[in-house]
Amino acid sequence: MLNVVWPPKMTIMPHNHTMWAVIGVYTGREDNIFWRRLEGGDGRRIEAAGAKALSEKDTAPLGRDIIHSVTNPIPRLTGAIHVYGGDFFGAERSEWDPETLREQRFDVERARRLFAET
């Protein structure tokens, strides 16, 4: 379980968790874009497949195969409780380059730095 606090206007690149998750927003707003793998080619690229905005008191379940990116679109902090069905920091998972949408290994330290810098 993580208490995630998103700085204003912060976006985190598309990523997967390789485990189920439930997100509950307790203050602010979190916009999720859901992605799917493109058919054909090398299977390492994705395309947008849907979206959902979560506001205070909203929850959303995520299946183990979901790929999503998250943005805090408002000019103040957003807080959410994230419950994961496994070891969030130890799981082997992927992220996708925000410019090319190509898959790469998830870098936990880069994600931590992103939160620390914003």
Side-chain angles (χ1 to χ4, degrees), residues 9 16 27 30-31 34 37 48 51 55 61-62 64 72 74-76 89 93-94 98-99 102 104 107 113 116-117:
K9 308 293 185 175
N16 63 12
T27 189
E30 176 180 303
D31 287 354
F34 299 104
R37 291 180 182 276
S55 297
L62 301 178
R64 70 175 314 277
N72 173 5
I74 63 175
R76 66 179 180 87
F89 292 105
R93 50 202 188 103
S94 296
E99 190 170 331
R102 287 216 164 279
Q104 56 198 19
D107 184 340
R113 283 191 308 273
E117 292 168 359

Side-chain angles (χ1 to χ4, degrees), residues 5 13-15 18 21 37-38 50 54 58 86 90 94 96 102 106-107 109 111:
V5 178
M13 77 284 292
H15 63 281
T18 66
R37 291 180 182 276
L38 288 169
L54 302 175
D58 287 340
S94 296
W96 282 259
R102 287 216 164 279
F106 185 80
D107 184 340
E109 290 309 313

Side-chain angles (χ1 to χ4, degrees), residues 76-90:
R76 66 179 180 87
L77 295 174
T78 289
I81 300 296
H82 292 213
V83 179
Y84 297 97
D87 181 356
F88 178 81
F89 292 105

Side-chain angles (χ1 to χ4, degrees), residues 11-15 33-38 42-49 67-69 94-104:
T11 297
I12 191 125
M13 77 284 292
H15 63 281
I33 297 175
F34 299 104
W35 303 84
R36 66 176 161 240
R37 291 180 182 276
L38 288 169
D42 63 8
R44 296 174 51 87
R45 293 198 58 222
I46 54 175
E47 66 181 358
I67 300 167
H68 73 136
S69 55
S94 296
E95 63 187 18
W96 282 259
D97 181 275
E99 190 170 331
T100 66
L101 297 178
R102 287 216 164 279
E103 186 174 13
Q104 56 198 19

